[in-house]
Each structure stands twice: as C-alpha cells, then as structure tokens.
Amino acid sequence: MNRRAFLAATAASPARLLGANDRIRVGVIGSGGRGQLLAQEFKEIGAQVTAVCDVYEPNLKAGLAAASSDATPFGDYRRLLEDKSLDAVIVATPDHWHAQMVIDAVEAGKDVYVEKPLAHTIEDGFRMIEAVRRTRRVCQVGTQRRSSDLFAEARRVAQSGALGQVRLVNSWWVNHAARLAAAKLEGNLDWGQWLGPAPKREPDPMRFFNWYWFYDYSGGMLIGQGAHIIDAINMLMGSGYPKSVTCTAGSPDVEGAEIPETCTMAVEYPEKFLAVFTIGYKAMYYNRFNDQMNQFHGSRARLDVGRESYALYPQSSAVEMRPSLEVKRPGSFEPATRSHIRNFLECVVSRKDPTATVEMGQQTSVALCMALESMRSGRRLRWNAEARRVES
C-alpha cells in the first residue's frame, strides 16, 4: 500500500488528514503571481508545498518564499515530477504548457490542480482527458466558480424552473489594461524551456512578461476570463459542448499586443439557447460590483449573477423592475479559490471526481478555441460532436 492509499485508509476524514503530521505534499510548476498565490492558499489549508519549479530565476525565488520552508527548487518540471514524495502538483504556467505538463504529471502518478483554461488547443484537451482517465488521477481545473457558494445558490434558482425557458444568456467582463507590462529581465531565464511546444523564436522579454497577449501562448482576456464565464454558463444551464461559435473583434488597441482586448463571442448550444459574451479590457468603466455579469433571460424571469450577488427579476409590466430575490455579499467570491483547493485536496484522499473535472474544462475549452479561430478567420464555426472536430 503506497503512502497516499495508507492515508486514505486511516484518516477519519480529509480534514483530519490535512491536520496530520504526514500531510499531502504538493509541488508548484510555474511560480509566477498565480502560482505563488496558489502555493500560499494550499499551505493555509494544510498541505505541504515542498517543491517549486520555474524557468525564471526571480519567480523561482518568490515561489520558494511562498512555499513551505523546506521546499526544493527545480529548473525543469520533469525533474520535479521524479520526486516520489509528491502527491500532487499545481500547474500555473502559460496556457500552451498546460497539456503536456498535466499529461506528464498524471503519468508520473501525481494528481493535478491546473489553472484555467484547461488547454490551448482542442486536441490537447482530449489528450488530457484520455491521460487523466487512463491513469485514474484526480485533476481539478481552476474554474473556482464551481466551488462558490453564491454560484451554487444561483444554480439552484436557475434549475428550479423559476426562470421558465431560457433562450438567451448575456454576459460581460470589463476592466482596465492600458498597457503591457515592462519587459526587463531581472535574472536568468531558460527561454528554450519556457517556449516548450510553442513555435521557436529568439528570446523576447516582451512576450515572456506579456504572454497573455500573444496567440502562441494564450488567447488573451477572451480566453482567460471567458473560461470563467462560459464555465459558469454551463454550470447554471446544465450545458456542455457548443453547437456553433461566432466571434468578432476590432484591431488590438493595447500597444504591442497581438490579441484584441475587446471581443464578443456568440455560442449556440444544442440545449436551444444562445450565450453572448463580451470582454472589454482597456479604459472601460470599472466597478468591482458589476464588472462581470451573467444575465439569464427566461420566459418567466431574468436571473442576474455577478461576482458578488445574484438577483431574480420576475416578468413585470412595471416601469421600474425590482428583484424578487436578491443576495448581496461583498467579498463573497473571495473564498471560492480556497474552497476549490479544499475540494481538490479532499478528492486526493477520497479518489472521487473533483468539482471541476477535465471533461467540464474541455467543454469550455472547445467553445473558447472555436471563438479564437472564428475571430481570426472571420467564419462561423460548427462543432461536430460525433467526429470531435470543428467544421465551417
């Protein structure tokens, strides 16, 4: 019996396990800002973060400072995966590395918490599903709304029948991003390893620090934040893969960026509703209370679900609409990440499926990858579910 199996068999509950001397041991792959935050959250819950890997020297040092005091540094994630004492790993790298790192991790017998989006391509997402299921590992996708109490309550309202038939969902996410980050290296960078499966290029600090804005490594804010929005729509509507996707955008208005910061995607679902999502990320009006919103338009009522509240507006002929059910909880979304991590660690022990499975992550990734292709090609794209491929 291996150590994880022994802990699962002897622990009275996951809570007892996470408070024991022999706690779940976790490694971090990619210790930039998000990786550091996740390392701290894992520690707060009770895991031991005993290994940190990054190809950029300052990030590695910062990751070690966020990890447990005895954490081992690595410059190559494959060496980290050779550590037999690790139970799980966090993958918080640029999107283009997610697939191979998750596949290598589960092949090495590790459970994985991977940041959203699940994958950079549709094909990679299906490769990840096959590897996770074949190796029987736990893989949690970092779409933490699935662990949010507020979104869980909103889902109960949406699925109660109170809305009637929902044929349209409107969503948006607005914020400020006036410029790219400064591109100055403060230490050693293994550029070749950072590129990994991406097209080969000469070292470019601008791309390294601003990878979100370049097609080789990501899909911009449309993908980064759309992963949360589309997943939340799937969660509340009980939907999965799209039927068709169309996306449009203007030219980038952020100097130096490849990917437009203002885009709109329309997703048609087999469940007979249309979801429209708009991302705006430069010089936009910003208020944290309504910076991100999902409006579910039903035949009986409309449900608004934001970051911090939800409200149900019944059908009415009155000039002023008043919600019949409204919940406002300032700061209510903040605990969702910690709840999501706790769910993952509990599943490491129980071997149950986590709240955000790889299949759920792939359903969202397919819609997002189609949106990116539609935006670049100017075509409406259809999803052939039987053949698992995109068609125009």
Side-chain angles (χ1 to χ4, degrees), residues 163-170 233 237 243 267-276 295-302:
L163 303 183
Q165 184 180 27
V166 176
R167 298 297 301 275
L168 174 66
V169 181
N170 282 332
I233 292 171
M237 292 294 294
K243 181 178 179 181
V267 186
E268 182 185 1
Y269 283 92
E271 291 81 4
K272 297 183 179 180
F273 74 95
L274 183 70
V276 181
Q295 294 183 326
F296 298 82
H297 299 269
S299 57
R300 297 176 184 168
R302 188 188 86 203

Side-chain angles (χ1 to χ4, degrees), residues 74 129 136 171 257 368 373 377:
F74 292 89
I129 291 174
R136 299 182 180 181
S171 302
L368 295 174
E373 184 178 343
S377 67

Side-chain angles (χ1 to χ4, degrees), residues 77-111:
Y77 81 94
R78 292 164 294 188
R79 303 290 81 81
L80 179 148
L81 294 178
E82 292 173 356
D83 184 346
K84 302 296 185 184
S85 72
L86 292 177
D87 301 299
V89 296
I90 301 164
V91 175
T93 62
D95 305 350
H96 73 289
W97 258 119
H98 286 186
Q100 195 58 53
M101 287 179 173
V102 169
I103 291 170
D104 289 344
V106 298
E107 294 282 5
K110 318 299 184 190
D111 297 322

Side-chain angles (χ1 to χ4, degrees), residues 67-266:
S68 301
S69 59
D70 59 346
T72 302
F74 292 89
D76 186 329
Y77 81 94
R78 292 164 294 188
R79 303 290 81 81
L80 179 148
L81 294 178
E82 292 173 356
D83 184 346
K84 302 296 185 184
S85 72
L86 292 177
D87 301 299
V89 296
I90 301 164
V91 175
T93 62
D95 305 350
H96 73 289
W97 258 119
H98 286 186
Q100 195 58 53
M101 287 179 173
V102 169
I103 291 170
D104 289 344
V106 298
E107 294 282 5
K110 318 299 184 190
D111 297 322
V112 186
Y113 185 104
V114 59
E115 264 303 312
K116 52 77 190 169
L118 176 71
H120 192 43
T121 70
I122 291 173
E123 294 76 14
D124 277 349
F126 284 115
R127 288 174 55 222
M128 296 165 82
I129 291 174
E130 188 281 328
V132 168
R133 294 310 178 187
R134 174 172 44 79
T135 59
R136 299 182 180 181
R137 295 296 93 197
V138 173
C139 183
Q140 176 87 297
V141 184
T143 44
Q144 63 266 33
R145 280 159 181 74
R146 295 213 175 237
S147 295
S148 163
D149 289 342
L150 188 147
F151 275 79
E153 292 175 15
R155 176 172 56 182
R156 284 193 286 271
V157 173
Q159 297 181 358
S160 70
L163 303 183
Q165 184 180 27
V166 176
R167 298 297 301 275
L168 174 66
V169 181
N170 282 332
S171 302
W172 67 81
W173 192 313
V174 295
N175 212 319
H176 294 281
R179 63 183 65 86
L180 299 186
K184 182 180 178 182
L185 293 173
E186 303 290 345
N188 294 328
L189 168 65
D190 188 337
W191 174 254
Q193 190 175 174
W194 184 83
L195 280 179
K200 303 307 176 188
R201 293 181 179 270
E202 291 299 312
D204 187 346
M206 179 63 73
R207 284 176 171 262
F208 172 71
F209 286 107
N210 299 281
W211 56 268
Y212 228 47
W213 298 94
F214 293 91
Y215 289 112
D216 287 349
Y217 326 112
S218 180
M221 295 299 176
L222 175 72
I223 305 303
Q225 310 299 32
H228 288 305
I229 295 294
I230 299 301
D231 183 72
I233 292 171
N234 286 343
M235 175 185 173
L236 269 70
M237 292 294 294
S239 51
Y241 290 105
K243 181 178 179 181
S244 72
V245 178
T246 307
C247 184
T248 186
S251 59
D253 197 33
V254 175
E255 186 178 355
E258 279 187 352
I259 304 172
E261 75 290 334
T262 304
C263 321
T264 293
M265 61 183 287

Side-chain angles (χ1 to χ4, degrees), residues 360-373:
M360 295 170 185
Q362 176 66 344
Q363 289 166 355
T364 296
S365 278
V366 166
L368 295 174
C369 289
M370 290 174 67
L372 207 59
E373 184 178 343

